[in-house]
């Protein structure tokens, strides 16, 4: 009964659900400080709605439904909102629903009064954020898209600056808002080019108008979209807001931004480049591929030297976004070379990685939230040994760690494997030199994946393993059951997609079918063999069963055949008995080989003590070179121009009126 | 699925488990001969394992369950890898579970678990070993991938059984790119298995240790499993090398009959003996490099693999 209903009116149901989100947000307002209603009722209900959204999106994708459109009588007169549900938006709604469900149920236990914004208000901002992201995905005209995009930026800004009394957080929030708006302007301009003189701003009109665009205009629109969405997604060198905003925001908000909001940028980029512009030139693909690979390696290198767990994860998000854009670039390159099947493979890899990243990155950000609440520390140098105090969080974080490190049989490996597989076909690209250099991208990708493993060993090892570096850590406790459910949900998602990759590849096939007219084979339930079985195949199920089977048999045999004697002894102290927990290797120490090898990427300031210093202090600051070489000059130039213009700001009304009058005259002359 | 293939599959796993220590013992023996030392007997590794299984475990007070389960995970993943790699026959049931890229991933899983276990106790050497091991790992992976890229360009596959079959279809094929790839592979093999010139498996000097530093806290049966897993890893790497570069003798159909089985067993034995002696020779001739020279060493390996790739593409372009 309900299934046909969902299959028939998915769009209408989605609109109801989005409205319910807004209603839930408003319902918490009358009692902003009364945390119980918000925590026990509103957030869990929000999570249910996320699940419903994911279900509808999944059914829509799996039944291969035709796109649905509707016109809403809102907005300016004569400019109603157009909305549309197709495979591309449904796939990203699936991401939103799956990750959002886990984050919402976690938030139910996480937000409490006395930490920044009151829970009731937080609930409103949170649900507006969710609803606006869903509307971004459903928008079918540039107006609604921009309205939803801006709502998304503003609501997330308020969420980031929840603890606005701290100056650094205000600063981080401002940087985020600034970058978000510069990006929005680029997107707006891109839409302006895309309408191609028709002055129709529905996506449907653009789809037809873009075929008459000159190559120059098409490329301009493409570059503006790359710039605008790249700013939101955090592509290098547009990434600077990410490592500032994530540590500032409360952990569930970081999870939402990194897990879901960055994906809306990926969605927007796919919408414009594939759906509206019908990818026309292979050079676009090379550009996106290069930017993606650079972001991936850059993010991984910087993640390896961070000492703040949330900054580390923020840089890791840059790396993963880089991997996603690498897949997109490869897809563009293949598609414009008429290798449609390989394009579908690369795009499928990018989409599956987007879904995977939304699961494991949200999971890890949420675990940092649990650690932060339990210990009060965000700095890796003050943590350690939490696996004994917080076994629940540690176990689930281990799943996230292995998944994000791209290790089989978890989900991160699947998408990286698919992407590497599609790289193998790059020598077939019919452009000389391109087909020789692009294969090296596979090596960069392998380096990134292996560096990610390094980063995650550092993250997990320093936070959860070893001995507690502070005495206060012995009071750390596992979080409440609501938070555990949220973590568990995301961990199950990571494992499920890892062992049955078809769960993610089938929905992604709907998108590649819509954008490229090709899908990769996902017929067998046991293994995936995207191009041909004798070429390459992978089976998460067999791998997991094999590992568990061999471990089990080994364990039993050792138990049966060997004695089980065991005694507890102190760890070997290397002959030096006065060791303390502070003498363990630090996060900085773990990053040292990376600093040594990739020194060119960093700006390092060191304060070294002199040998006869009585209280020696060693201090090191590590900076992003891009900040100094790109952003500070821009900021200084802006300041200079503002200073020059400020001559006009004399304070006397007559001069202002004169200026307005002159402007009017000039404009009139210009028009007439 | 025929029962004979399942039988062969388990046979292959058992062979790997049984002779991996022997292979390590053979290398140690060759090394001793080449260095004019009196050699330990071939079965020394087995005696070592037996001794370790007999001892009581001395477990550090600060060890978590992760530390105790890791030896089993290491051993399990290595046995599984041995089942997937076509060392004796190509059409075994597990072979489809992972291609060569997924095998690298499987080895990476084992490496990450060992590194995490090393960090679990919280001693300085363990963590230091963990970070060095992970560093060698991320430097070796791009080179390994480029080597597989070479093989893929020749035979259009990353699945090891298909590569073996591809070779057998063109037995006269000796592409120059494959020679570059083979040299690069040997370099990666040495680095990944903690052997000279990157790491010295017989060292007692903690400051220079990589692999051994991670095992400092392991004892008795745990240590036995970890050591056995390391032997298996070396054996697995050797078998990947055989499948990639000298696949002759591997049975294409596991149901081929007794003769094919015997041939494949004999071929594996000969290859292992020769490869072991060659590895011992390389190790005897090289000195351990400083840890920060390791990037140069692995970059060299990467470069060779890339050269192989470019040679193939340029030759291909010339022919076309």
């Amino acid at each position: 009964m309900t299934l046909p209903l969902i299959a028939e009116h998915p769009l209408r149901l989605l609109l109801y659900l989005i409205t319910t989100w807004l209603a839930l947000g408003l319902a918490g307002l009358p009692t902003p400080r009364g945390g119980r209603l918000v925590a026990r009722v509103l957030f869990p209900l929000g999570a249910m709605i996320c699940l419903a959204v994911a279900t509808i999106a999944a059914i829509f994708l799996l039944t291969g439904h035709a796109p649905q459109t509707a016109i809403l009588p809102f907005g300016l007169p004569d400019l109603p909102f157009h909305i549309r549900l197709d495979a591309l938006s449904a796939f990203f709604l699936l991401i939103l629903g799956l990750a959002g469900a886990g984050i919402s149920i976690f938030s139910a236990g996480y937000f409490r009064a006395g930490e920044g914004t009151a829970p009731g208000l937080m609930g409103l901002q949170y649900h507006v954020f969710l609803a606006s992201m869903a509307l971004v995905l459903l928008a079918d005209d540039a107006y609604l898209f921009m309205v939803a995009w801006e709502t998304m930026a503003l609501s997330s800004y308020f969420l980031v600056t929840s603890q606005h009394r701290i100056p650094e957080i205000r600063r981080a929030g401002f940087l985020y808002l600034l970058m978000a708006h510069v990006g929005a302007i680029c997107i707006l301009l891109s839409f302006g080019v895309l309408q191609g003189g028709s002055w129709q701003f529905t996506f449907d009109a653009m789809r037809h108008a873009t075929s008459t665009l000159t190559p120059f205009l098409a490329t301009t629109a493409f570059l503006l979209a790359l710039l605008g969405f790249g700013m939101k997604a955090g592509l290098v060198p547009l990434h600077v807001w990410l490592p500032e905003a994530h540590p500032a925001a409360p952990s569930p908000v970081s999870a939402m931004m990194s897990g879901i909001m960055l994906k809306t940028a990926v969605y927007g980029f796919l919408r414009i480049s594939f759906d509206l512009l019908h990818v026309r030139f292979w050079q676009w693909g090379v550009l996106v591929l290069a930017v993606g690979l650079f972001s991936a390696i850059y993010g991984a290198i910087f993640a390896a030297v961070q000492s703040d767990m949330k900054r580390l994860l923020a840089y890791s998000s840059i790396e993963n976004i880089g991997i996603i854009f690498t897949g997109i670039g490869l897809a563009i390159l293949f598609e414009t070379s008429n290798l449609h099947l390989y394009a579908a493979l690369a795009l499928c890899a990018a989409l599956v990685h987007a879904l995977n990243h939304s699961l494991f990155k949200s999971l890890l950000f949420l675990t940092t939230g649990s650690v932060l609440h339990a210990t009060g520390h965000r700095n890796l140098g003050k943590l350690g040994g939490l696996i004994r105090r917080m076994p629940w969080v540690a176990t689930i974080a281990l799943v996230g760690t292995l998944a994000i490190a791209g290790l089989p049989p978890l989900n991160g490996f699947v998408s990286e494997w698919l992407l590497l597989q599609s790289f193998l076909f790059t020598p077939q690209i019919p452009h000389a030199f391109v087909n020789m250099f692009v294969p090296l991208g596979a090596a960069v990708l392998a380096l990134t994946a292996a560096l990610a493993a390094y980063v995650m060993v550092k993250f997990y090892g320093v936070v959860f393993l070893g001995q507690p570096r502070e005495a206060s850590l012995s009071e750390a406790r596992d979080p409440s059951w609501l938070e555990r459910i949220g973590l568990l949900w995301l961990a199950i998602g990571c494992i499920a997609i890892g062992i049955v990759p078809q769960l993610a590849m089938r929905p992604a096939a709907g998108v590649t079918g819509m954008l490229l007219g090709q899908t990769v084979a996902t017929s067998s339930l046991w293994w995936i063999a995207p191009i041909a079985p004798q070429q390459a195949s992978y089976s998460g199920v067999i791998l997991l069963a094999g590992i568990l089977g061999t471990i089990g048999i080994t364990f039993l045999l050792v138990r049966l055949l060997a004695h089980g004697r065991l005694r507890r002894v102190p760890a070997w102290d290397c002959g030096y008995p006065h060791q303390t927990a502070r003498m363990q290797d630090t996060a900085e120490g773990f990053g040292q080989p990376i600093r040594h090898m990739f020194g060119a990427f960093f700006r390092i300031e060191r304060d070294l003590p002199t040998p006869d210093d009585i209280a020696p202090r060693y201090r090191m600051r590590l900076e992003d070179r891009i900040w100094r070489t790109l952003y500070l000059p821009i900021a200084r130039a802006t300041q200079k121009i503002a200073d020059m213009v400020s001559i006009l700001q004399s304070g006397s009304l007559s001069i202002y009126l004169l200026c307005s009058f002159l402007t009017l005259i000039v404009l009139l002359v210009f028009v007439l | 699925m025929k029962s004979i293939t399942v039988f062969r599959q388990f046979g292959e796993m058992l062979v790997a488990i049984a002779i991996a220590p022997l292979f390590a013992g053979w290398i140690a023996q060759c090394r001793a001969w080449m260095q004019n030392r009196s050699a330990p007997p071939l079965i020394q590794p087995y005696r070592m394992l037996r001794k370790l299984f007999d001892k009581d475990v001395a477990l550090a007070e600060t060890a978590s369950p992760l530390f105790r389960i890791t030896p089993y995970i290491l051993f399990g993943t290595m046995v599984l890898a041995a089942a997937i790699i076509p060392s004796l026959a190509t059409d075994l049931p597990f072979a489809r579970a992972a291609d060569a890229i997924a095998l690298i991933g499987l080895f990476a899983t084992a490496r990450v678990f060992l590194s995490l276990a090393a960090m679990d106790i919280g001693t300085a050497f363990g963590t230091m070993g963990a970070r060095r091991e992970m560093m060698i790992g991320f430097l070796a992976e791009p080179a390994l991938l480029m080597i597989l890229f070479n093989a893929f360009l020749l035979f259009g596959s990353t699945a090891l059984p298909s590569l073996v079959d591809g070779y057998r279809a063109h037995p006269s094929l000796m592409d120059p790119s494959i020679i570059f790839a083979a040299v690069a592979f040997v370099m990666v093999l040495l680095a990944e298995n903690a052997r000279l010139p990157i790491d010295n498996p017989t060292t007692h000097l903690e400051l220079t240790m990589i692999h051994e530093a991670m095992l400092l806290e392991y004892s008795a049966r745990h240590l036995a499993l970890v050591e056995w897993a390391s032997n298996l890893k070396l054996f697995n790497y050797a078998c990947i090398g055989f499948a990639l570069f000298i696949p002759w003798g591997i049975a294409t159909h596991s149901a081929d009959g007794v003769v094919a089985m015997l041939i494949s067993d004999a071929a594996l034995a000969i290859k292992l003996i020769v490869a072991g002696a060659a590895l011992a020779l390389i190790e005897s001739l090289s000195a351990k490099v400083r840890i920060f020279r390791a990037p140069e060493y692995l970059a060299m390996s990467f470069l060779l693999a890339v050269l192989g790739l470019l040679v193939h593409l340029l030759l291909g372009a010339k022919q076309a």
Side-chain angles (χ1 to χ4, degrees):
Chain A
M1 168 62 210
T2 49
L3 204 65
L5 186 77
I6 294 174
E8 259 173 60
H9 309 287
L11 189 55
R12 196 186 300 172
L13 280 174
L14 283 174
L15 285 177
Y16 289 145
L17 292 174
I18 292 172
T19 322
T20 322
W21 263 330
L22 295 176
L24 284 181
L26 289 173
L29 269 192
T31 52
R33 304 213 165 271
R36 284 194 75 79
L37 171 72
V38 178
R40 294 280 181 261
V41 182
L42 299 184
F43 270 110
L45 276 178
M48 290 297 164
I49 294 173
C50 284
L51 274 186
V53 167
T55 315
I56 293 171
I59 291 175
F60 181 86
L61 281 166
L62 294 178
T63 52
H65 210 290
Q68 276 211 331
T69 54
I71 296 176
L72 299 184
F74 295 119
L76 297 172
D78 276 345
L79 282 174
F81 289 159
H82 296 75
I83 55 170
R84 171 182 155 116
L85 178 68
D86 57 16
L88 182 60
S89 27
F91 185 83
F92 283 87
L93 280 170
L94 181 68
I95 293 180
L96 173 81
L98 286 180
I103 301 169
S104 289
I105 198 84
F106 181 93
S107 305
Y110 187 85
F111 289 127
R112 44 192 86 162
E115 278 183 13
T117 311
L121 195 53
M122 203 73 172
L124 176 65
Q125 295 166 356
Y126 182 93
H127 286 108
V128 168
F129 186 35
L130 266 177
S132 59
M133 285 196 288
L135 276 179
V136 165
L137 300 177
L138 287 174
D140 195 33
D141 65 56
Y143 293 111
L144 178 59
F145 188 92
M146 289 315 295
V147 168
W149 188 262
E150 285 294 287
T151 314
M152 182 176 89
L154 282 177
S155 53
S156 55
Y157 166 74
F158 286 118
L159 286 168
V160 167
T161 53
S162 150
Q163 291 180 310
H164 53 85
R165 284 181 211 289
I166 303 171
E168 285 98 64
I169 289 183
R170 282 205 300 277
R171 221 185 120 242
F174 174 71
L175 182 66
Y176 168 55
L177 197 64
L178 186 69
M179 296 286 286
H181 279 91
V182 175
I185 290 170
C186 292
I187 297 169
L188 195 64
L189 291 176
S190 177
F191 282 133
V193 179
L194 281 171
Q195 50 80 24
S198 68
W199 302 105
Q200 294 283 315
F201 286 93
T202 61
F203 287 169
D204 209 32
M206 286 183 192
R207 237 168 249 136
H208 299 295
T210 48
S211 52
T212 56
L213 281 183
T214 60
F216 173 73
L217 281 181
T219 307
T220 312
F222 176 81
L223 289 180
L224 282 169
L226 182 61
L227 215 59
F229 291 117
M231 227 167 247
K232 196 61 150 191
L235 287 176
V236 179
L238 309 170
H239 65 286
V240 284
W241 63 270
L242 251 153
E244 304 297 326
H246 279 306
S251 292
V253 176
S254 307
M256 283 275 263
M257 288 172 70
S258 196
I260 308 174
M261 190 185 75
L262 300 190
K263 307 306 176 315
T264 62
V266 175
Y267 161 83
F269 184 68
L270 285 175
R271 175 68 75 193
I272 288 192
S273 57
F274 279 85
D275 188 24
L276 302 186
L277 274 171
H278 322 288
V279 286
R280 282 163 63 177
F281 307 104
W282 62 269
Q283 288 90 340
W284 295 359
V286 175
L287 177 70
V288 176
L289 182 67
V291 171
L293 282 173
F294 187 66
S295 302
I297 191 77
Y298 195 92
I301 290 172
F302 271 82
V305 295
Q306 300 306 316
S307 312
D308 177 314
M309 32 176 199
K310 293 182 82 177
R311 273 181 93 92
L312 182 148
L313 291 180
Y315 274 112
S316 153
S317 287
I318 296 171
E319 172 221 322
N320 281 287
I321 285 292
I323 293 177
I324 295 170
F325 273 81
T326 304
I328 297 174
L330 215 49
I332 297 176
L333 203 49
F334 280 132
E335 180 67 9
T336 48
S337 309
N338 285 321
L339 301 164
H340 303 295
L341 182 60
Y342 305 150
L345 177 60
L347 190 59
C348 177
L351 291 169
V352 174
H353 197 73
L355 174 56
N356 289 342
H357 181 241
S358 76
L359 294 175
F360 52 62
K361 187 49 68 65
S362 311
L363 172 62
L364 288 172
F365 265 123
L366 295 184
T367 57
T368 63
S370 294
V371 169
L372 192 61
H373 262 182
T375 65
H377 293 302
R378 229 172 50 204
N379 191 329
L380 292 172
K382 306 212 166 190
L383 296 165
L386 290 178
I387 193 171
R388 284 169 279 278
R389 297 279 149 213
M390 306 171 74
W392 252 87
V393 173
T395 313
I396 289 173
L398 182 64
V399 174
T401 300
L402 296 177
I404 200 171
L407 299 173
L410 290 167
N411 63 349
F413 177 75
V414 172
S415 37
E416 279 170 18
W417 185 80
L418 287 171
L419 195 50
L420 286 172
Q421 287 296 332
S422 56
F423 259 110
L424 291 173
F425 300 102
T426 48
Q428 294 186 25
I429 293 169
H431 304 289
F433 298 113
V434 175
N435 63 356
M436 293 189 189
F437 283 108
V438 172
L440 297 187
V444 178
L445 193 66
L447 180 64
T448 307
L451 259 176
Y454 185 93
V455 171
M456 292 327 289
V457 165
K458 165 178 165 168
F459 171 79
Y460 193 81
V462 176
V463 175
F464 292 103
L465 303 177
Q467 293 161 36
R469 289 180 175 78
E470 296 280 318
S472 61
L473 295 186
S474 57
E475 277 143 42
R477 289 284 172 273
D478 263 333
S480 69
W481 57 272
L482 278 171
E483 288 160 84
R484 289 186 203 181
I485 293 175
L487 292 172
L488 200 60
W489 166 256
L490 295 168
I492 289 173
C494 290
I495 296 172
I497 295 178
I499 57 178
V500 191
Q502 288 83 348
L503 288 177
M505 286 172 69
R506 283 268 175 84
V511 183
T512 57
M514 172 195 144
L515 294 180
L516 308 168
Q518 274 282 0
T519 55
V520 293
T522 52
S523 49
S524 168
L525 191 66
W526 289 101
W527 50 54
I528 47 172
I531 303 298
Q534 63 274 21
Q535 193 159 59
S537 56
Y538 168 72
S539 166
V541 188
I542 299 181
L543 227 51
L544 184 70
I547 293 176
L548 291 182
T550 45
I551 290 173
I553 293 171
T554 317
F555 190 74
L556 281 181
L557 283 181
V558 171
R559 263 289 131 91
L560 285 177
L561 300 179
H563 64 83
R565 286 195 296 275
L566 184 144
R567 65 200 150 81
R568 289 277 184 171
V569 293
W572 183 54
D573 56 11
C574 316
Y576 180 71
H578 306 292
Q579 293 198 31
T580 67
R582 297 297 299 270
M583 290 181 194
Q584 290 175 90
D585 202 356
T586 55
E588 288 77 14
F590 213 89
Q592 189 262 350
I594 307 289
R595 281 206 307 277
H596 194 99
M597 264 182 265
F598 299 99
F601 283 84
F602 310 117
R603 218 185 81 85
I604 301 176
E605 275 175 32
R606 275 205 194 86
D607 288 348
L608 291 175
T610 54
D612 45 20
D613 206 332
I614 301 167
R617 285 189 79 80
Y618 174 83
R619 200 180 64 89
M620 188 183 66
R621 264 173 66 83
L622 204 124
E623 266 183 25
D624 210 334
R625 263 183 199 278
I626 289 177
W627 183 250
R628 237 163 237 272
T629 50
L630 187 65
Y631 285 88
L632 286 186
I634 292 178
R636 272 197 293 269
T638 315
Q639 186 70 44
K640 214 168 221 172
I641 294 169
D643 286 344
M644 281 194 267
V645 176
S646 69
I647 298 169
L648 294 174
Q649 193 189 14
S650 56
S652 85
L653 195 60
S654 52
I655 296 206
Y656 293 161
L657 285 174
L658 185 67
C659 282
S660 306
F661 182 67
L662 284 176
T663 313
L664 198 63
I665 298 280
V666 168
L667 285 178
L668 276 175
V669 168
F670 193 69
V671 171
L672 296 174
Chain B
M1 196 177 293
K2 291 194 202 98
S3 56
I4 183 85
T5 57
V6 178
F7 174 74
R8 280 292 274 182
Q9 177 73 77
F10 281 100
E12 195 182 284
M13 282 161 86
L14 290 179
V15 165
I17 295 172
I19 64 173
L22 189 68
F23 183 51
W26 168 241
I27 297 177
Q29 202 168 44
C30 289
R31 262 178 70 161
W33 286 335
M34 287 172 196
Q35 295 164 1
N36 259 341
R37 291 185 280 124
S38 56
L42 260 184
I43 57 162
Q44 185 62 31
Y46 297 102
R47 288 185 181 159
M48 193 74 170
L49 290 177
R50 197 183 145 201
K51 181 187 84 179
L52 287 174
F53 273 114
D54 273 346
K55 289 196 166 210
D56 286 8
V57 174
L59 189 69
E61 279 154 357
T62 49
S64 76
L66 182 74
F67 184 81
R68 293 176 67 176
I69 200 173
T70 295
Y72 298 97
I73 293 177
L74 291 181
F75 191 77
T77 44
M78 286 309 148
V79 172
L80 183 66
I84 293 168
I85 298 164
S87 53
L88 292 170
T90 55
D91 64 340
L92 297 175
F94 270 132
R96 291 266 308 267
D99 69 336
I101 296 178
L103 268 179
I104 303 179
L106 200 58
F107 287 124
T109 308
R111 178 167 59 226
V112 164
F113 267 102
L114 182 58
S115 304
L116 289 178
M119 294 179 80
D120 185 46
I121 307 292
T123 57
F125 285 127
T127 314
M128 190 190 68
R131 86 158 103 106
R132 287 178 175 173
E133 170 89 358
M134 293 307 292
M135 184 185 90
I136 301 295
F138 80 68
L139 292 169
E141 266 183 34
L144 211 46
L145 195 78
M146 284 293 109
I147 293 163
L148 295 178
F149 222 118
N150 272 307
F152 179 85
L153 283 184
L154 282 177
F155 300 114
S157 173
T158 53
L160 287 173
S162 304
L163 286 172
V164 172
D165 291 343
Y167 257 106
R168 291 163 58 96
H170 313 271
S172 62
L173 191 122
M174 207 60 202
D175 197 282
S177 69
I178 214 73
I179 299 169
F180 283 107
V183 177
F185 183 80
V186 173
M187 294 176 77
V188 170
L189 180 147
L190 290 170
E192 282 265 332
N193 286 286
R195 308 202 70 92
L196 285 170
I198 296 297
D199 191 9
N200 186 354
T202 54
T203 186
H204 296 288
L205 195 64
E206 292 92 344
L207 281 174
T208 67
M209 283 178 178
I210 300 177
H211 184 72
E212 296 295 315
M214 295 195 290
L215 312 185
L216 282 176
E217 286 299 326
Y218 273 117
S219 58
R221 57 173 184 273
H222 295 152
L223 183 59
L225 283 173
V226 175
E227 292 287 1
W228 208 338
S230 312
N231 292 342
L232 267 168
K233 186 178 178 189
L234 182 60
F235 175 83
N236 282 337
Y237 259 88
C239 285
I240 293 178
F242 300 153
L244 282 177
F245 305 111
I246 38 172
W248 294 284
I250 298 174
T252 3
H253 296 286
S254 49
D256 258 359
V258 184
V259 181
M261 271 165 71
L262 282 178
I263 291 178
S264 65
D265 290 348
L268 180 65
I270 295 169
K271 285 179 210 167
L272 282 176
I273 290 171
V274 175
L279 281 183
L281 183 66
I282 297 173
E283 284 200 83
S284 297
L285 291 178
S286 48
K288 187 183 175 310
V289 297
R290 279 174 59 213
I291 186 80
F292 279 113
R293 297 290 294 277
E296 291 170 28
Y297 172 88
L298 285 161
M300 177 80 173
S301 153
F302 173 71
L303 210 62
L304 283 172
V306 171
L307 271 180
L309 192 75
L310 291 180
V311 163
H312 182 89
L313 288 173
L314 287 172
L315 286 180
K318 216 173 141 192
Q319 277 161 14

